[in-house]
Amino acid sequence: MAITVLRFPPGGGLDLELSASDAEIHEYSERCSKLLHLLQRPGVVVLELEDDSAWAPLKACLKRCDSFFSLDRPIKEKASSSVPGEGFSRPNGKELLAFRRFSGASGLAAGNAQSLDGACRVLDSLGRSVLRGVSRSAELDIHAEQLSPLLEEDPQLRRRPSASILRASCYPDVAEEEGPPALAFAAHHDRGVLTLVASNQTGGLQVQLPPGAGGGGGEGVGEWADVPLGPGRVAVLVGFSLSYALGGLVRPALHRVAPGGPRRVSLAYELCFRPGARIDPAEVLREAATAPERPVGRPLYLSELMALFETTHPVSINGKRSLDVGACRFLFEWRRIGGNSTPEELGLKDGNVIIVVMEQVGS
């Protein structure tokens, strides 16, 4: 199964002018439905940007980041930050430069900060356009205002640090490393709404295919597909927050950077809900054309949703969390799985999801 590349025309491609003709409305509707279908299986779509003005800030930012990562380590460490998760760091075998608009927490040179800010603007706009397209698909058909109030206003209007974050990553040439940086290439889900990825390199990013989507003789479980990036392309991956808000109608994309490749520099913009947002899947889907197969989650504030992500995703490629199997509990359809349970007893089938939660003790 090849990852689909969707042409993204100038002017947005997933927005519609009020004066659109019937033919344009039909084409728009089909494009929105195709977008939702692709984000459901396999959870990723690649946008081919036909507007050079949209790619230019990303191209410039990738060039600057490549130059930054080529600097001597003491110079790069001047861009470190006292704010966790921001600035320059070296987590788990890769180099990372994390930038949040209007944070002002890192010691970045003005030119680098300006370039990162420009990339944030482009990727944020693309992400919001994708959300509008998904909302307006015939299969979902919810008012765009069901999701947009959960996002923050433009940080420039409020002059507050953005909830969303841009991470520039430099993955090393494994052949030059003394030991394999396993966690840098570990498969993972992202916690945000959408993750938008850009890179000058064609290969490197991979997603795990859903059951039955593989090209081999099996059911496709565990098979990895290359995401075709390169100049002019942006990959859009579903995050944990959007999956929860839509009641599981879309699933988070399990993805990784393919181990064993050459040095790779990429940008990953994580579009996030605003702090204080209350995510109520039942309210979001109140007028949806398609209902989830299973009961949706209860309303959660963003802090609660992130705590749920932490407990169900104890391994992080950008942090130092680790998995204590003895403190884990395994649930299927929210029923606890016993240590001696078999797939036959539980009625498990290919594609079913087992939830892992970590038991916490304390006041």
Side-chain angles (χ1 to χ4, degrees), residues 29-49:
S29 178
E30 286 190 339
R31 189 158 57 239
C32 291
S33 294
K34 184 176 183 179
L35 178 68
L36 175 63
H37 176 71
L38 293 172
L39 290 178
Q40 288 175 320
R41 289 173 62 94
V44 60
V45 62
V46 176
L47 304 180
E48 182 91 54
L49 305 181

Side-chain angles (χ1 to χ4, degrees), residues 24-96:
E24 289 172 329
I25 294 174
H26 178 72
E27 181 183 358
Y28 171 79
S29 178
E30 286 190 339
R31 189 158 57 239
C32 291
S33 294
K34 184 176 183 179
L35 178 68
L36 175 63
H37 176 71
L38 293 172
L39 290 178
Q40 288 175 320
R41 289 173 62 94
V44 60
V45 62
V46 176
L47 304 180
E48 182 91 54
L49 305 181
E50 297 183 355
D51 187 350
D52 291 339
S53 64
W55 175 252
L58 303 180
K59 179 181 178 181
C61 187
L62 284 166
K63 183 177 180 180
R64 273 194 173 269
C65 289
D66 196 359
S67 299
F68 173 83
F69 288 125
S70 299
L71 296 172
D72 292 336
R73 183 170 176 176
I75 299 177
K76 289 183 286 191
E77 289 181 341
K78 291 181 180 179
S80 299
S81 171
S82 59
V83 178
E86 296 186 31
F88 174 75
S89 60
R90 293 171 56 88
N92 304 321
K94 68 176 181 180
E95 293 188 325
L96 184 69

